[in-house]
Amino acid sequence: MLKILKYSFYDLMRSRWSYVYFLFYLALGFVLLFLNQDLSKAVITLMNVIIVLVPLIGTIFGVMYYYNSKEFTELLLAQPIRRSSIFLGQYFGVAGSLTLSLVLGLGVPFALYGLFKSDAIWNFSLLLITGAFLTLIFTALAFNIAISNENKIKGFGYAVLMWLFLAVVYDGLFLMSLIVFEAYPLDSFSLIATMFNPIDLSRTLILLKLDISALLGYTGAIFKQFFGTNTGLVISLLMLLLWTVIPIWRLSYKAKRKDF
Amino acid sequence: MKFRISISLILFLLLTGGNLSANTLTICSSCEIKSIKEGISLAADFDTLFIKKGTYKEFNIQITKPLTLLGEDYPIVDGEDKGEIITIQANNVTIDGLFIINVGTSYTADYAAIRVVESENFLIQNVVLEKLFFGIYLEKSKNGKVYHNKIIGDAVDEYNSGNGIQLWYSKNIEVKQNIVQHVRDGIYLEFSDNIIIADNTSANNLRYGLHFMFSNDDIYKNNTFENNGAGVAVMFSKRIKMYNNTFKKNWGTAAFGMLLKEINDAEISGNTFAENTVGINIEGSNRIVYKNNDFVNNGWAIKVRGACYANSFVNNSFLYNSFDISYNGNLNDNIFDTNFWSDYTGYDLDKDGIGDVPYRPVKLFSYIVNRTPETIVLLRSLFMDIIDFSEKVSPVFTPDNLVDANPLMKRPK
């Protein structure tokens, strides 16, 4: 598995798209800090970018890589290598290189602008951790979609749809249901609904740091417990971990049984 | 220099005492006079009681003649939780440099560490109060100063705790440079007019950092109010001036940086509201001028609840608040003009420093959160940004005349 991971990783590191992705974040980081010297304000802006863009790029990249390297995969399948190592190797190669681009692309400008001396370092590392999680989750989901769909166009379609659903439509439905059922106590429902969407989950995680004063304005013991203590942070991180593990597990499960 | 000070001291004594016989009586555990009460009974008008370091277990000390109580190295006056400690019932009394602890708690009487009753020209300074019920209680008194005291309470529940500095039917008092912490209300004014409250720090109190009730023509400036249960409340008062105060970190469901209720003709300028759940909550307040205030990182910068007329918000900076303004009801004749909004996305083609597109401070999301508070978990979601944008383009739910027609491009100085 490590060998395939290494191969995929280096293959991607050499490819143009990784550089583009890396340079994009680098440029974004520098421009943001150039326009706004305040590190913590830049972190807020970045959050908006990260929770939308990182899942999109993870999804597209994952699907693209799977379909593009299909022939290579079939060649590997002929060799005496375990199937799970082939697919997991490729997956971690893609996710790893994307994460690296993200972390380095954003880390370099912030480090140059004195991140290590500022108190924004915790918010920023939280941002990078969520970014990394989102990459891992959405690449895994993309691989899952690709492995279940032979048809490229269909696969792409589903992947983009999934992103659209989780990034925008889910929140719309969520909002509608909150308004429709506003006569009922909704605080536990709203927290649980947040858990079922990794994008919302990451948003909540960052809100915990940035908008805590607004979040505490709502009257409710459960909210207070969740947002006012470390419970929220711990639960959100655990859920993100679960969101990463389950698609990866399904990927290796599917890979073992798929007929090529 | 020393010579000059001693001359001025003599002059002071001459002027205030009016007789040269003002004596100093020393009180300590090995002196002739062993207790403060004994000292007071022996002292003549305008004498000074010099209290040396030590512990004095006394309560119900009544000062009925003009005296100066001067402590050396903070002598401890321990009330042993038995009741009120010092009661001043005479004009021209000075209390300086005492450390007063263990005021009795009562549910029928408001025991205070120092109470001033119907007196004038008093000065209470450099006093440290701990383990108190009420701290400094001014009752129907005039022309006094409460200066540079430190009040550290240990209040847990509102019903059995008292206020740090309380003014009741008092006039022309200066309350300056005090530190008040962990009591019910840090500073409380009721029916007190022409009071100056300046340079105080009121933090970690159970209820309000500063609380006005039926008090008119007061000024408070350069104070810091931090992490109080509900911030600062200004209620049922007229012509209050609030300058250059800092309100920060008042978090909670009923916490405000400042709560205005039934306030008329006030002036609020140069204040900073940072990281509060609600910066200012306004209810039934008229003709108030909000000028040059900074609202930074609040949940809601301003919540306007209704019945507010002729208020003007000019030259304020709204920076990175989750919501700038939440508004119930009609705009009425309130004005938002030439403020700086960090969320403003317009342009300034003629370069006059004023944006060419008006800014709408009320977002659709703020309207939704008002209706269904649980939706706050969707804060900063992409979907919300999209519907906020569409609402901005064509307002349907939010009051369409609530605009800042001249938003500033740069923060006002």
Side-chain angles (χ1 to χ4, degrees):
Chain A
M1 180 175 128
L2 274 179
K3 224 171 207 161
I4 294 165
L5 191 160
K6 224 164 104 189
Y7 178 80
S8 300
F9 187 75
Y10 283 122
D11 179 35
L12 276 163
M13 282 282 95
R14 275 198 301 272
S15 87
R16 204 181 324 140
W17 288 110
S18 287
Y19 285 115
V20 170
Y21 191 50
F22 168 70
L23 289 175
F24 167 74
Y25 279 121
L26 201 66
L28 181 72
F30 272 120
V31 167
L32 268 181
L33 289 170
F34 175 72
L35 291 175
N36 188 350
Q37 294 287 327
D38 192 347
L39 283 178
S40 42
K41 298 295 163 306
V43 168
I44 296 181
T45 318
L46 268 185
M47 180 209 96
N48 288 321
V49 177
I50 279 190
I51 58 172
V52 176
L53 216 59
V54 164
L56 179 65
I57 290 176
T59 314
I60 303 283
F61 241 70
V63 177
M64 225 161 65
Y65 189 83
Y66 180 87
Y67 286 127
N68 273 353
S69 59
K70 201 160 186 200
E71 283 165 15
F72 174 61
T73 312
E74 275 162 10
L75 178 76
L76 282 178
L77 284 169
Q79 313 296 321
I81 310 173
R82 286 177 55 192
R83 277 190 169 192
S84 63
S85 1
I86 296 175
F87 289 97
L88 287 185
Q90 285 185 348
Y91 162 70
F92 280 115
V94 177
S97 73
L98 285 177
T99 310
L100 198 71
S101 298
L102 174 77
V103 171
L104 283 184
L106 289 179
V108 169
F110 274 77
L112 287 181
Y113 271 82
L115 171 72
F116 297 111
K117 283 181 218 141
S118 111
D119 49 354
I121 185 154
W122 292 110
N123 290 346
F124 185 71
S125 22
L126 187 69
L127 191 78
L128 286 189
I129 290 169
T130 13
F133 264 120
L134 282 176
T135 311
L136 288 171
I137 291 167
F138 278 87
T139 317
L141 291 174
F143 263 68
N144 269 298
I145 289 171
I147 208 169
S148 312
N149 290 288
E150 280 301 306
N151 187 337
K152 251 190 206 182
I153 305 296
K154 244 185 170 175
F156 261 109
Y158 284 140
V160 171
L161 218 67
M162 174 200 71
W163 172 79
L164 198 67
F165 179 76
L166 290 180
V168 184
V169 181
Y170 186 89
D171 285 353
L173 295 175
F174 188 3
L175 179 68
M176 293 302 287
S177 55
L178 284 180
I179 290 176
V180 169
F181 297 109
E182 68 183 350
Y184 299 87
L186 289 171
D187 37 1
S188 12
F189 166 74
S190 59
L191 287 180
I192 289 166
T194 311
M195 299 294 150
F196 282 105
N197 181 346
I199 294 182
D200 275 353
L201 204 52
S202 322
R203 195 170 45 76
T204 314
L205 203 55
I206 297 168
L207 285 189
L208 276 175
K209 289 276 161 218
L210 299 180
D211 290 275
I212 189 71
S213 45
L215 290 170
L216 285 175
Y218 171 73
T219 322
I222 298 172
F223 263 38
K224 205 171 174 191
Q225 169 75 17
F226 189 85
F227 292 119
T229 61
N230 272 329
T231 325
L233 192 75
V234 173
I235 292 179
S236 307
L237 279 175
L238 278 179
M239 281 308 292
L240 275 180
L241 205 65
L242 212 63
W243 262 104
T244 324
V245 172
I246 291 173
I248 294 176
W249 171 79
R250 187 181 175 270
L251 176 67
S252 75
Y253 177 84
K254 269 271 164 192
K256 271 180 208 153
R257 278 158 191 74
K258 192 171 159 71
D259 195 10
F260 280 93
Chain B
M1 198 61 199
K2 250 188 184 154
F3 178 67
R4 191 175 285 173
I5 288 174
S6 53
I7 281 197
S8 59
L9 197 73
I10 289 168
L11 269 175
F12 175 77
L13 287 173
L14 274 172
L15 288 172
T16 54
N19 57 359
L20 277 166
S21 64
N23 292 316
T24 300
L25 289 81
T26 307
I27 301 171
C28 68
S29 52
S30 55
C31 305
E32 257 176 63
I33 309 168
K34 291 191 169 53
S35 76
I36 300 171
K37 272 186 197 168
E38 202 184 331
I40 291 169
S41 64
L42 289 174
D45 285 4
F46 300 103
D47 280 359
T48 298
L49 301 182
F50 188 67
I51 305 165
K52 292 208 162 186
K53 199 176 168 80
T55 304
Y56 301 87
K57 295 200 168 158
E58 295 181 64
F59 69 102
N60 251 335
I61 303 169
Q62 309 271 348
I63 303 178
T64 47
K65 44 194 157 188
L67 291 176
T68 298
L69 269 68
L70 183 63
E72 184 198 52
D73 291 334
Y74 293 100
I76 298 169
V77 182
D78 185 349
E80 295 180 298
D81 296 326
K82 281 178 186 157
E84 189 147 292
I85 299 184
I86 297 177
T87 312
I88 298 171
Q89 287 165 307
N91 296 339
N92 305 310
V93 172
T94 298
I95 295 186
D96 190 345
L98 299 182
F99 185 178
I100 304 178
I101 58 170
N102 296 330
V103 182
T105 302
S106 159
Y107 296 96
T108 50
D110 294 343
Y111 290 141
I114 300 173
R115 176 189 296 269
V116 182
V117 185
E118 296 179 29
S119 306
E120 290 187 32
N121 302 323
F122 56 88
L123 169 64
I124 299 170
Q125 65 178 358
N126 304 320
V127 170
V128 181
L129 310 179
E130 278 183 22
K131 295 195 181 131
L132 53 121
F133 184 47
F134 279 79
I136 298 170
Y137 197 129
L138 312 180
E139 191 181 318
K140 296 189 175 171
S141 297
K142 275 186 235 169
N143 308 324
K145 284 181 185 167
V146 179
Y147 179 68
H148 201 270
N149 302 293
K150 193 170 178 180
I151 302 176
I152 312 284
D154 48 3
V156 182
D157 295 306
E158 273 183 27
Y159 67 89
N160 64 357
S161 53
N163 303 328
I165 299 173
Q166 173 148 349
L167 285 78
W168 190 66
Y169 279 111
S170 294
K171 307 260 184 298
N172 298 321
I173 312 267
E174 279 180 29
V175 179
K176 283 187 179 170
Q177 292 191 29
N178 300 287
I179 297 172
V180 188
Q181 290 182 349
H182 295 289
V183 290
R184 186 174 62 192
D185 286 350
I187 302 170
Y188 180 64
L189 285 83
E190 197 169 347
F191 310 109
S192 293
D193 303 339
N194 299 311
I195 310 288
I196 297 175
I197 299 173
D199 307 300
N200 301 289
T201 303
S202 178
N204 307 319
N205 297 303
L206 278 189
R207 199 167 63 183
Y208 300 116
L210 174 67
H211 190 176
F212 279 86
M213 278 290 194
F214 316 104
S215 299
N216 305 324
D217 302 298
D218 301 325
I219 298 176
Y220 69 97
K221 57 187 179 183
N222 304 324
N223 301 291
T224 302
F225 304 101
E226 188 172 347
N227 193 24
N228 296 301
V232 168
V234 187
M235 302 186 190
F236 308 100
S237 301
K238 289 174 195 153
R239 299 177 298 277
I240 308 275
K241 293 187 167 64
M242 317 172 199
Y243 301 139
N244 306 324
N245 300 290
T246 303
F247 305 80
K248 60 182 174 184
K249 292 198 175 148
N250 298 296
W251 285 353
T253 51
F256 313 100
M258 180 151 73
L259 169 68
L260 300 179
K261 188 170 168 60
E262 309 291 333
I263 299 300
N264 293 324
D265 305 296
E267 212 177 296
I268 300 174
S269 72
N271 300 290
T272 302
F273 298 85
E275 295 174 65
N276 303 294
T277 299
V278 178
I280 307 186
N281 190 74
I282 309 162
E283 217 174 309
S285 298
N286 308 313
R287 300 181 298 280
I288 300 181
V289 179
Y290 302 81
K291 212 172 171 186
N292 293 318
N293 300 293
D294 287 348
F295 298 88
V296 191
N297 281 330
N298 299 291
W300 285 262
I302 296 178
K303 259 189 183 175
V304 182
R305 298 291 200 181
C308 296
Y309 293 90
N311 298 293
S312 68
F313 299 82
V314 182
N315 266 324
N316 301 291
S317 301
F318 293 84
L319 306 169
Y320 322 107
N321 302 296
S322 303
F323 302 98
D324 286 330
I325 288 173
S326 149
Y327 214 95
N328 282 5
N330 296 323
L331 175 65
N332 302 334
D333 50 354
N334 300 311
I335 299 165
F336 291 86
D337 201 31
T338 55
N339 296 293
F340 175 78
W341 313 85
S342 66
D343 282 355
Y344 181 59
T345 49
Y347 45 82
D348 178 22
L349 287 182
D350 50 4
K351 303 250 187 243
D352 58 353
I354 291 168
D356 299 346
V357 188
Y359 178 73
R360 297 185 180 283
V362 179
K363 292 180 188 163
L364 175 61
F365 186 33
S366 143
Y367 170 85
I368 294 172
V369 170
N370 252 346
R371 211 182 118 176
T372 320
E374 289 89 351
T375 51
I376 188 78
V377 293
L378 289 167
L379 184 65
R380 287 187 199 279
S381 112
L382 181 61
F383 182 77
M384 281 303 166
D385 291 347
I386 293 170
I387 62 167
D388 271 345
F389 179 75
S390 56
E391 175 73 13
K392 198 165 95 179
V393 175
S394 57
V396 180
F397 298 100
T398 53
D400 61 341
N401 52 354
L402 206 170
V403 289
D404 185 338
N406 302 301
L408 298 180
M409 296 305 286
K410 285 204 169 118
R411 276 185 72 178
K413 287 271 150 62

